[in-house]
RNA sequence: GCCUCGGUAGCUCAAUGGUAGAGCAGUUGACUCUUAAUCAAUUGGUUUCCGGUUCAAGUCCGGACCGGGGCACCA
């Protein structure tokens, strides 16, 4: 063995490195790291240790500062500052970061050379004593170190974090490494679920687990995933809801129960939908929907207080809005130019106008939605005027399905738009300056002032479905004829299918124009019975059911029911539902009900959406560690 | 499934159709209290993939793949 490690290490090290690079030059950064690994092994050092037991975490070391106290910590190297004969590194574990100071004359020449060749992202265990640097940072003066795990790939980022959404979701570990905010959200999600469990345990609810694989998937109207059991030779479905098994447990005498588990629904993916999502369902015998309203309100405020320490939650709104706006302006200008040229040449050329229409349709649908939402938020921002102005032209000019409305009296279908080039042009000329001024004003505004504020302070608003509809669509909504309602809904800009029944027309207005505006918690009660066929009728108004929808942040967070315990009525509605033979009848469940189920209140809460609301995330993918993506 | 925006070095981003660049990371050298360390030098690219137009394509056109947003499906 050479007498001086330093002189041995370098030439041998680079000889190895060169060989490695010539062998495979796919990624030189990886090859360099592999060469360092080989060099360490050649020296008899195993950079993948089985165990290292630190005396404390990085945060504990910093928190319990006593000058000269001996400590050992372990973690990943996240930064290094090389000073020649001394060196600073940052070591980070889950608790946080601590700076370590290595000196050549303390460690010795050989170990110091090894130390300076450590890479970002390597795991090390260090021993040393606490001290404070000139600039006042608590640090560890190293007496020794052990390489615990060498990282063979470069870490993603130092300052900007990792931005590439695809890598963030597919390789979440990199996201967690690089973006502290992401880790914070995920840890808070864990805390939220912990507090939910605490809440129910304190109220003497029993936590249960029910089958994920079911022969007949029931409890919701959704497409299931199908799977196959080899030994039994039969098909199973992944559950779409927990409900039917929970009710069996009510029959069996478990009076207060809850489950937190995955549901699987075979649907498209979106900002609010992941194919597998976490659901909380809870049932309380001898309670009803009013009991459950109290439960939901108490649960969510308790969790918010414990995890966030506040009942007032801010959501940033600005980014998408500004980008959409800019996008729209650029697009509109190009459109205008193209149309003008075409219009000058030939009045009858329809293709360009039709194309323009289609472009307009897709570019603007998002902008219109955002404008609508912003104007609903009610909190006065300097943008209000500009939004109102721009809205006036947009609300008059809206796009639904295949119909494009230039002004209140004038509607043009996609096929007819060809004849209206001049109207289209003048609309653009009118809209452009408004958008421009909106953009200027939006640019001048601090992003925070556009934040959406959700106030969870009790007592939460309780409102009847019909009252909310009347508030938005006119006090005479339920006294005018069904045809008038249909026309009115259409005028408001709702999409009304030809086959829609009357209650569906009203509900289209509700889900498009009312639900998105319910930012602060609101229990919507007394839903029309047609809308929720499986629920029990309200004794005080038999046209409605004892159901609530708890809306927060413009989304339904939790539905709650007085559960149906009349086996005959339940069978009738289920048979009616199954009439389209889409889902088979769960005979076993119906038999269970016939044995008698106590009156009960029940709720479901989508945990992912609850986390979005509490943690200020606009996408469900940002509250799920590994969201579903298309396989590469 | 449909519409739309995007994919450039390990990371974050540039590049009127005309030699693919910067900062950081990496490597080398200097420096024993730095913390986005500093200073000097330097490596690194099948511009996601396939095809087309052109004397010339990261850029224009067509297609595929993946992602974001919107819609549809779905409470």
């Amino acid at each position: 063995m050479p007498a001086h490690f330093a002189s041995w290490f370098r030439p041998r090290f680079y000889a190895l490195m060169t060989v490695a690079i010539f062998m495979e030059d796919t990624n030189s950064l990886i090859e360099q790291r592999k060469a360092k690994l080989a060099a360490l092994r050649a020296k008899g050092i195993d950079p993948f240790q089985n165990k290292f037991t630190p005396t404390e975490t990085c945060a504990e070391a910093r928190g319990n500062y006593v000058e000269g106290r001996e400590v050992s910590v372990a973690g990943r190297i996240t930064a290094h500052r090389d000073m020649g004969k001394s060196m600073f590194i940052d070591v980070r574990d889950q608790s946080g970061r601590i700076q370590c100071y290595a000196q050549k004359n303390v460690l010795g020449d050989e170990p110091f050379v090894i130390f300076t060749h450590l890479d970002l992202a390597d795991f090390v265990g260090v021993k040393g004593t606490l001290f404070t640097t000139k600039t006042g940072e608590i640090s560890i003066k190293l007496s020794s170190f052990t390489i615990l795990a060498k990282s063979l790939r470069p870490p993603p980022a130092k300052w900007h974090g990792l931005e590439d959404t695809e890598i963030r979701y597919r390789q979440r570990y990199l996201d967690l490494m690089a973006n502290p905010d992401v880790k914070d959200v995920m840890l808070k999600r864990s805390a939220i679920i912990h507090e939910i469990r605490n809440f129910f345990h304190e109220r003497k609810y029993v936590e249960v687990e029910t089958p994920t694989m079911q022969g007949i998937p029931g409890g919701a109207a959704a497409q299931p995933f199908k799977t196959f059991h080899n030994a039994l030779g039969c098909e199973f479905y992944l559950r779409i809801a927990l409900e039917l098994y929970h009710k069996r447990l009510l029959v069996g005498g478990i009076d207060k129960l809850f489950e937190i588990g995955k549901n699987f629904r075979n649907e498209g993916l979106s900002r609010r939908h992941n194919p597998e999502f976490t659901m909380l369902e809870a049932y309380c015998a001898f309670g009803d929907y009013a009991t459950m309203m109290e439960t939901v309100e108490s649960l969510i405020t308790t969790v918010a207080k414990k995890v966030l320490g506040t009942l007032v939650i801010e959501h940033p709104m600005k980014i998408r809005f500004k980008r959409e706006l800019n996008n729209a302006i650029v697009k509109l200008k190009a459109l205008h130019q193209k149309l003008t040229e075409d219009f000058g040449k030939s009045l009858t050329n329809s293709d360009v106008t039709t194309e323009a229409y289609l472009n307009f349709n897709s570019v603007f649908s998002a902008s219109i939605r955002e404008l609508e939402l912003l104007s609903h938020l009610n909190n006065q921002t300097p943008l209000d005027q500009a939004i109102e102005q721009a809205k006036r032209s947009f609300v008059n000019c809206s796009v639904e399905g295949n119909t494009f409305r230039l002004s209140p009296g004038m509607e043009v279908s996609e096929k007819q738009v060809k004849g209206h080039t001049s109207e289209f042009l003048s609309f653009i000329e009118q809209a452009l300056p408004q958008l421009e001024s909106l953009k200027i004003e939006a640019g001048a505004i601090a992003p925070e002032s556009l934040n959406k504020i959700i106030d969870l302070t009790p007592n939460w608003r309780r409102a009847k479905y019909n009252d909310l509809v009347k508030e938005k669509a006119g006090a005479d909504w339920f006294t005018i004829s069904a045809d008038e309602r249909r026309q009115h809904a259409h005028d408001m800009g709702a999409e009304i299918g030809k086959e829609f029944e009357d209650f569906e027309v009203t509900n289209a207005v509700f889900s498009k124009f009312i639900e998105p505006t319910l930012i602060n918690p609101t229990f919507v009660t007394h839903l029309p019975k047609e809308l929720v066929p499986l629920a029990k009728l309200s004794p005080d108004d038999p046209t409605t059911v004892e159901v609530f929808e708890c809306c927060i942040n413009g989304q339904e967070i939790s539905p709650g029911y007085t559960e149906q315990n009349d086996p005959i009525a339940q069978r009738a509605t289920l048979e009616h539902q199954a009439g389209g033979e889409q889902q088979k009848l769960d005979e076993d469940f119906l038999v269970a009900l016939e044995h008698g189920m106590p009156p009960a209140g029940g709720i479901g809460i989508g945990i992912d959406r609850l986390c979005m609301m509490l943690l200020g995330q606009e996408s469900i993918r940002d509250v799920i560690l590994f969201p579903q993506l298309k396989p590469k």
Side-chain angles (χ1 to χ4, degrees), chain A residues 350 354 357 402 412-420:
Chain A
S350 60
T354 307
Y357 159 79
N402 289 333
V412 192
S413 77
E414 183 184 329
K415 288 192 178 106
Q416 295 166 323
V417 85
K418 60 178 73 163
H420 295 88

Side-chain angles (χ1 to χ4, degrees), chain A residues 472-533:
Chain A
K472 181 75 192 180
D476 60 349
W477 178 262
F478 292 100
T479 54
I480 58 180
S481 74
D483 285 342
E484 285 171 321
R485 266 194 291 277
R486 184 176 290 265
Q487 184 60 43
H488 190 170
H490 187 250
D491 288 344
M492 289 171 74
E495 281 180 57
I496 308 296
K498 283 204 173 64
E499 72 292 351
F500 271 27
E501 290 184 40
D502 194 34
F503 75 92
E504 290 178 299
V505 171
T506 301
N507 198 48
V509 170
F510 179 83
S511 54
K512 183 153 182 180
F513 299 111
I514 298 172
E515 191 176 308
T517 68
L518 300 176
I519 305 299
N520 286 335
T522 305
F523 289 107
V524 182
T525 64
H526 293 78
L527 278 71
K529 63 177 183 190
E530 297 86 356
L531 206 58
V532 196

